[in-house]
Amino acid sequence: MATRSIKEVARLARVSVGTVSNVLNRPEIVAPATRARVFDAIRELGFVRNEVARHLRVGRSRTVGLVVLDVANPFFADVAQGAEALADEHDTMVVLCNSGTDPNRERRHLDQLEQQRVMGILITPVDAGSPRLADLAARGTPVVLVDSAATGLQCSVAVDDRLGGQIAAAHLIEQGHRRIAFVGGPPSIKQVADRRAGAAGAVEAASGVELLDASMPMLSAAAGRAAGERVAALPPAERPTAAFCANDLLALGFLQAMAACGLRVPGDMAIVGYDDIDFAAAAAVPLSSVRQPRELLGRTAVELLLEEVAHPERHRHRQVIFQPDLVVRESSALRRRD
C-alpha cells in the first residue's frame, strides 16, 4: 500500500495542510470538531507522520540516546526504566546503546546518535574525561553523565562512590577481616576507581588491615568467577577472608567460584557487592551490597536533560549526587573470630 501524505489527509478532512499540521503538533489550538475530522481522516487513510522529515525541519528529534557500559547488567536496565518512565511523560523516546566498556564502540554510538539529531545523550562513559563528550555539547547536543560525576562541563547524576567503597570496606573491617580483596574492573571507569579509593581510605584508617587487588578487565559475572578462582587458589595463609566487588555481577560470579572451590560464604570468605540489583537478595547466599537508587538515577538524568533543552539560554549545569547505603545480608553477616 502506498504511503499516504498530509495533503491527502487535508483533502479528505476538508481542511488545509496547515490545520492538519496543527492537529499533529498543537492539537489544543484546533476546534474539537475539526480535530475529530482530521483524526478520522488519518485513521481512514492509515496515515503515519514522517518523523524524519519533521526532525529535519525543526532541527531536533524527540529521541534521547542512553549509552551504558553493559546492557547485561540489571543495574543499567533499572536506570533505563527510570529514564524511560519520565521521558514517556514528555512524549519522548529513549534509545538504548551498549558500549560494552569499549571506547571505540562508544564513539561509534555517539557519532550515530549525533547524526540522528537526537534531543540529547545520557551516558555512563568508559572514560568520563573523554573530550568527545565536551565536543558533543559544544556542537549543540546536550550530554548528561549517568552514574558518573562530571566536572562542570556537563550535567551529571551519580552516587558518591568513594563513600560507597568506604562503607563497604569499613563493614568488612568491623566484621574482623584483616585481608580484603578488591575485585574491580577497568581503572579508566571512574566508578571503579572511586569505589576502590573509598575502600583504600577505610583500610588506611584501620590498623593492620591489607587491601589486595583482584581486579579483572571486565565487570561481568564471568570475570567475577575468574577472580574468585584465582583468589581461592591462593595458599590459606595468603588468601583474603573477604572481598569487596565493584558491582553485583562480579560479586555473584565470585560467590559461584567460592561454592565451586569448596569455600564457605561467609565462613571462609565474606563478600560485599555494589548496586543492590534484585538478584543480590535472591542469590544462593543472599548478597550484602551497597545500594544505589537505580531508577531515580535515570529519572533525574532525563529531568536534567529536559531542563537544558527547554531553557538553553539560562541553563546552568548541575551535578546531582545521591548517597549510597549498605544493605547487609548473609554473605557478610558473620563476624570473624581468629
Side-chain angles (χ1 to χ4, degrees):
M1 184 169 119
T3 301
R4 299 296 190 173
S5 71
I6 194 170
K7 290 181 180 179
E8 292 176 278
V9 174
R11 189 180 307 117
L12 183 60
R14 302 186 308 281
V15 298
S16 68
V17 169
T19 298
V20 177
S21 178
N22 284 334
V23 169
L24 293 172
N25 297 298
R26 296 183 296 165
E28 70 280 358
I29 71 171
V30 182
T34 303
R35 201 163 58 221
R37 287 209 316 275
V38 171
F39 282 133
D40 286 344
I42 286 172
R43 282 191 291 270
E44 182 175 336
L45 292 171
F47 170 77
V48 178
R49 70 189 299 171
N50 187 335
E51 282 293 320
V52 173
R54 188 169 76 95
H55 297 165
L56 289 173
R57 288 195 304 274
V58 303
R60 189 66 66 193
S61 75
R62 300 296 300 177
T63 301
V64 171
L66 172 58
V67 185
V68 302
L69 295 173
D70 181 8
V71 293
N73 187 339
F75 167 80
F76 289 113
D78 292 340
V79 169
Q81 186 171 353
E84 188 176 42
L86 184 58
D88 188 58
E89 294 174 17
H90 293 268
D91 192 29
T92 298
M93 181 175 66
V94 176
V95 174
L96 183 63
C97 303
N98 178 37
S99 72
T101 68
D102 180 347
N104 293 322
R105 187 173 178 184
E106 177 185 88
R107 187 186 67 253
R108 290 195 298 273
H109 284 314
L110 294 176
D111 288 345
Q112 290 167 352
L113 290 169
E114 185 179 25
Q115 291 162 14
Q116 293 296 320
R117 298 294 191 269
V118 293
M119 177 189 295
I121 295 173
L122 315 177
I123 181 170
T124 303
V126 176
D127 179 3
S130 170
R132 183 73 177 88
L133 302 178
D135 291 345
L136 280 168
R139 288 197 295 267
T141 300
V143 175
V144 178
L145 304 193
V146 183
D147 194 36
S148 182
T151 58
L153 297 176
Q154 302 97 10
C155 284
S156 66
V157 55
V159 169
D160 187 340
D161 283 316
R162 283 180 177 260
L163 177 60
Q166 178 186 337
I167 61 177
H171 164 68
L172 293 171
I173 293 168
E174 289 169 3
Q175 294 298 85
H177 297 281
R178 293 295 175 263
R179 292 175 63 82
I180 301 170
F182 175 73
V183 184
S188 63
I189 297 175
K190 191 173 186 301
Q191 301 93 306
V192 173
D194 284 350
R195 291 166 196 179
R196 190 191 190 287
V203 166
E204 289 169 8
S207 177
V209 181
E210 185 179 2
L211 186 66
L212 309 173
D213 189 70
S215 292
M216 304 298 292
M218 298 295 289
L219 290 162
S220 63
R225 284 192 295 273
E229 290 165 359
R230 192 170 71 189
V231 168
L234 292 172
E238 299 176 15
R239 185 188 304 143
T241 61
F244 167 44
C245 300
N247 73 9
D248 283 343
L249 290 185
L250 284 170
L252 291 168
F254 197 92
L255 175 63
Q256 292 170 357
M258 294 303 102
C261 294
L263 296 177
R264 298 166 300 153
V265 175
D268 298 315
M269 181 71 65
I271 304 173
V272 174
Y274 207 106
D275 294 336
D276 195 33
I277 61 176
D278 291 340
F279 293 134
V285 179
L287 182 67
S288 296
S289 185
V290 178
R291 179 166 50 197
Q292 301 198 74
R294 304 179 300 278
E295 291 189 25
L296 184 57
L297 286 168
R299 286 188 66 91
T300 306
V302 171
E303 180 182 335
L304 293 173
L305 179 63
L306 292 175
E307 286 178 4
E308 183 170 356
V309 170
H311 306 289
E313 68 288 343
R314 65 172 187 260
H315 175 77
R316 294 294 180 270
H317 292 317
R318 290 196 288 139
Q319 285 73 49
V320 179
I321 305 285
F322 293 105
Q323 300 301 299
D325 60 287
L326 178 65
V327 181
V328 177
R329 299 191 180 95
E330 186 180 340
S331 70
S332 68
L334 182 65
R335 184 169 181 83
R336 186 169 181 83
R337 300 181 186 278
D338 288 327

